[in-house]
Amino acid sequence: MSIVPCRKEDTVLCAPAGQSICFRRCGSKLNVSAVPCSWQIAKRISTGRFIYMKKIINENQRGLLFKKGRFIRLVEPGGCYLFGGAQVEIVELDEPLEPVTCSLDVLLRNEAVQEQVEVVNVGDEELVLHFVNGRFDQCLDTGRYAFWSLYDRHEFISAGIDRPEVAQEIPAHIFDKIPASYYIKTEVAEYEKGVLFYDQKFVGVLDAGTYYFWRGKTKVNVKLVDTRLTRMEISGQEILSKDKVTLRINFVCNYQVVDWVKAIIKLDNYQEQLHVAAQLILREYAGNYRIDEILENKEELAEKVFQKLKEKEADLYVQIKEAGIKDIILPGEIREIMNTVLIAEKRAQANVITRREEVASTRSLLNTAKLMDENKTLYKLKELEYVEKICENVGEISVAGGDLLGQLREIVGR
């Protein structure tokens, strides 16, 4: 081959392995021109002043060739020799095409790049679900993306997030792989109802299940309502009785929500509203009775409070099943006084019972004495009964003179 002077524009950037190149001397520098020759000749022409760098591009890679920041072409797998300030950016085929040296739009103007990639554009208020070979890979938000299509099959499902509803063709299981910043998850239990709002406007009622909503410009809010029979307790409610005694009453009420939509929309907090209503009714009725009347008529008071609460069912959108007074707690001084009164009453009752038993016992003795006086045989039997009792208590008899048997015959024979 011949070495001839060359122009500046004759300089090229690299020569892949397997192709022929030639060098032209331009002044004191060696430049690579497009004139074909063999590698052996080109390598022998290299001098100590000429510097080149070799890059290896694997089968699962591609090279992006640049000179002075300008994209030149796509480099296929193999050896790549770089001269004259050229550089190559190596990208993986199993990763998105995200060049560092230039923008993606610059690369996509190249026909070779366009033939080997699939491009997807994601607009505003849109998400695209990316599937690789039938498996979910990632969720793409606003932007432009390119993926190598030489070895992988890419599928894209577009989801508009201008409305929160998730389309039926989007499987629920992929939400476990999507970042939580893209969606809102709501779970409604079997015993609950979900009242759904978009931008604070009522939309509908959700039955039991798991629901997903796109997180976009529309604000999604779900308020859960327990539809089971619910227990409400008013503990330690202080109430002033008619005779100015402070009582603490524990009240229990069982209710069930019957119109969960109105209970959420019409009332600020239906549970708190019911609690306050029960408190006011309890104060109203308990304040009209003395402490003794409250203690004696506890069931009657509970029934009145229950009936009054039933009248408020329509306003609270609930059904009152039952209500009652659980405990009445008295102040310490009142408890001591009532305990003293109770002890005195019980002692008086005990004395009455004792006197009644004594009278009955005396009357019984009188009747027995009259019978024995009128019947000698009965008297004799009673005497023998006492002798028998005496003998039962005698463990040993010592005879010291006298006729013991005669005396016993005399006693028995009388």
Side-chain angles (χ1 to χ4, degrees), residues 34-302:
V35 180
C37 68
S38 66
W39 258 123
Q40 291 79 5
I41 297 175
K43 191 172 182 180
R44 287 197 299 268
I45 295 176
S46 301
T47 64
R49 293 181 181 181
F50 187 78
I51 300 175
Y52 69 93
M53 182 173 59
K54 182 178 181 180
K55 287 280 189 178
I56 301 298
I57 301 176
N58 298 327
E59 186 66 28
N60 63 333
Q61 296 175 331
R62 290 294 183 271
L64 306 177
L65 184 61
F66 295 89
K67 181 180 180 182
K68 297 181 180 180
R70 182 180 180 183
F71 176 67
I72 303 301
R73 63 185 177 88
L74 185 67
V75 182
E76 299 294 330
C80 176
Y81 291 81
L82 304 177
F83 308 94
Q87 60 180 358
V88 64
E89 179 183 340
I90 298 177
V91 295
E92 303 291 335
L93 296 184
D94 58 352
E95 296 180 356
L97 177 56
E98 298 175 345
V100 177
T101 309
C102 69
S103 66
L104 179 61
D105 294 336
V106 173
L107 294 183
L108 294 179
R109 288 199 292 264
N110 184 275
E111 293 184 1
V113 175
Q114 293 178 7
E115 293 175 356
Q116 299 186 27
V117 300
E118 287 193 22
V119 181
V120 57
N121 294 299
V122 184
D124 295 333
E125 298 185 356
E126 182 185 14
L127 291 176
V128 171
L129 305 180
H130 179 207
F131 294 82
V132 179
N133 299 325
R135 296 187 299 271
F136 177 75
D137 183 66
Q138 60 180 322
C139 184
L140 307 176
D141 55 10
T142 304
R144 194 179 192 190
Y145 304 86
F147 302 92
W148 298 101
S149 58
L150 295 174
Y151 304 118
D152 294 320
R153 177 172 53 89
H154 298 271
E155 296 176 300
F156 305 95
I157 298 179
S158 177
I161 60 174
D162 54 333
R163 295 289 296 170
E165 295 87 354
V166 176
Q168 294 183 354
E169 61 267 18
I170 298 178
H173 65 84
I174 68 170
F175 284 94
D176 295 334
K177 303 176 183 179
I178 297 177
S181 58
Y182 289 132
Y183 67 92
I184 298 172
K185 180 180 179 181
T186 298
E187 294 181 339
V188 182
E190 184 66 30
Y191 53 85
E192 292 178 327
K193 294 290 184 181
V195 184
L196 178 62
F197 296 88
Y198 288 168
D199 290 333
Q200 307 302 325
K201 295 180 180 179
F202 172 71
V203 177
V205 177
L206 304 179
D207 294 324
T210 301
Y211 299 86
Y212 297 93
F213 304 93
W214 295 119
R215 194 186 295 272
K217 64 179 183 180
T218 302
K219 182 179 179 181
V220 179
N221 187 21
V222 178
K223 294 186 178 181
L224 301 177
V225 180
D226 195 329
T227 61
R228 296 175 296 180
L229 185 65
T230 306
R231 183 175 184 176
M232 180 193 68
E233 292 192 7
I234 301 177
S235 301
Q237 178 63 49
E238 293 190 353
I239 297 176
L240 189 64
S241 64
K242 189 175 182 179
D243 49 0
K244 310 304 180 184
V245 176
T246 303
L247 306 175
R248 284 194 298 165
I249 298 179
N250 296 331
F251 186 78
V252 179
C253 174
N254 293 330
Y255 69 94
Q256 189 173 21
V257 180
V258 294
D259 192 336
W260 38 83
V261 175
K262 290 184 178 179
I264 293 297
I265 297 177
K266 300 294 184 180
L267 301 179
D268 178 32
N269 187 329
Y270 69 92
Q271 294 173 321
E272 183 66 23
Q273 297 278 358
L274 179 59
H275 190 275
V276 172
Q279 282 182 317
L280 295 177
I281 295 172
L282 199 59
R283 288 176 182 271
E284 177 185 352
Y285 278 91
N288 294 327
Y289 293 91
R290 297 181 180 274
I291 183 172
D292 294 336
E293 296 173 337
I294 294 175
L295 296 176
E296 291 175 1
N297 304 306
K298 183 172 68 173
E299 298 299 329
E300 180 182 350
L301 174 62

